[in-house]
């Protein structure tokens, strides 16, 4: 398999004015593509290149892990963003309320985690199937929650390259725009539904 850059799930300028076309273009076409091309080159002669990306992330470390995780994280990031925000519903809505009190509680928790992540990294809304509970967490550099038992539902990239063209060093405002205008709750809903149906099948099987 040759690693392929998937198309963005929205037009390059669809997230304006919150994230400009230029910001998305550099992030997607330079940074995301760069990680993907480096991963492709690093695995040129390896049979790992035939494996699903998630498996490569879970079985590697060092340089290959960093590249594979960054590719996976960016694919997940684009899905986490949407020009049209629809409120969470069903089980996700119930879990948000139970886990954070209300949407404002979630907002504060996520903003704090994303702002306080020192240096480069990622903020995540994750589901813990062991406790049937949502948590907000963050990871450093390329790291992600794959392989930890936590199921990622949404992510936000807090590397400076994700917001510097639009917000310079103002990470706080960038995070606020994501929380208020860009969250793809439909994506989180579908990630949660996929996980809970897998857990149900395991229990009934
Ligand atoms: Fe990024």
């Amino acid at each position: 398999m040759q690693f392929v850059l998937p198309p963005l799930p929205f037009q390059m300028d669809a997230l304006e004015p919150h994230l400009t076309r230029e910001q998305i273009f550099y992030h997607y076409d330079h940074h995301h593509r760069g990680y993907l091309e480096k991963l492709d080159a690093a695995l040129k002669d390896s049979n790992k290149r035939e494996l699903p990306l998630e498996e490569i992330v879970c079985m590697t470390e060092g340089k290959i892990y960093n590249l594979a995780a960054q590719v996976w994280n960016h694919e997940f990031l684009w899905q986490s963003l949407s020009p049209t925000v629809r409120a969470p519903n069903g089980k996700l809505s119930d879990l948000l309320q139970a886990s954070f009190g209300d949407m404002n509680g979630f907002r504060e928790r996520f903003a704090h985690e994303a702002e306080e992540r020192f240096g480069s990294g990622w903020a995540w809304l994750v589901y813990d199937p062991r406790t049937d509970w949502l948590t907000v967490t963050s990871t450093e550099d390329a790291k992600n929650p794959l392989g930890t038992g936590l199921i990622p539902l949404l992510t936000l990239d807090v590397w400076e390259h994700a917001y510097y063209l639009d917000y310079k060093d103002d990470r706080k405002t960038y995070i606020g725009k994501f929380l208020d205008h860009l969250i793809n709750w439909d994506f989180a809903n579908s990630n949660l539904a996929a996980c809970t149906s897998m857990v149900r099948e395991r229990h009934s099987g």
Side-chain angles (χ1 to χ4, degrees):
M1 170 192 120
Q2 174 97 12
F3 293 103
V4 177
L5 189 67
L8 284 172
F10 42 78
Q11 294 293 311
M12 200 78 81
D13 60 359
L15 306 184
E16 290 190 346
H18 314 298
L19 288 170
T20 61
R21 184 186 190 287
E22 188 186 24
Q23 176 68 69
I24 296 293
F25 173 77
Y26 276 97
H27 196 179
Y28 170 72
D29 203 59
H30 288 225
H31 293 278
H32 185 176
R33 185 189 295 281
Y35 293 124
L36 189 129
E37 289 179 352
K38 283 180 190 153
L39 178 66
D40 202 50
L43 292 181
K44 191 164 168 284
D45 300 316
S46 167
N47 53 12
K48 286 196 186 75
R49 65 188 291 118
E50 306 300 330
L51 298 172
L53 187 56
E54 288 195 16
E55 279 187 43
I56 300 174
V57 171
C58 290
M59 69 190 299
T60 56
E61 52 188 25
K63 178 185 170 184
I64 302 290
Y65 172 85
N66 286 335
L67 292 170
Q70 281 294 76
V71 172
W72 191 91
N73 294 350
H74 281 89
E75 287 183 18
F76 201 81
L77 168 71
W78 305 129
Q79 303 288 332
S80 298
L81 302 171
S82 172
T84 315
V85 178
R86 278 194 290 265
N89 58 36
K91 182 176 168 74
L92 178 59
S93 174
D94 294 344
L95 277 173
L96 282 162
Q97 196 147 6
S99 308
F100 303 106
D102 55 20
M103 287 305 287
N104 209 37
F106 159 75
R107 193 192 184 290
E108 280 177 18
R109 184 76 193 84
F110 193 98
H112 179 77
E113 188 72 33
E115 282 167 40
E116 292 297 313
R117 163 52 47 193
F118 185 77
S120 299
W122 298 80
W124 306 86
L125 173 64
V126 296
Y127 173 65
D128 188 340
R130 294 160 297 200
T131 55
D132 196 29
W133 202 249
L134 299 178
T135 313
V136 165
T137 187
S138 68
T139 52
E140 64 177 340
D141 297 333
K143 289 203 177 85
N144 64 38
L146 294 185
T148 65
L150 298 172
I151 308 299
L153 302 184
L154 286 172
T155 194
L156 183 65
D157 187 343
V158 293
W159 286 57
E160 277 192 349
H161 72 226
Y163 58 88
Y164 204 82
L165 286 176
D166 285 344
Y167 296 102
K168 299 298 180 277
D169 58 346
D170 187 1
R171 185 191 284 190
K172 184 177 181 172
T173 299
Y174 159 69
I175 293 164
K177 297 290 181 184
F178 169 70
L179 290 167
D180 293 338
H181 303 287
L182 298 172
I183 292 187
N184 187 351
W185 286 113
D186 289 349
F187 180 57
N189 266 325
S190 64
N191 288 325
L192 180 66
C195 173
T196 48
S197 73
M198 211 162 64
V199 170
R200 251 198 319 272
E201 272 171 32
R202 212 178 293 151
H203 286 173
S204 64

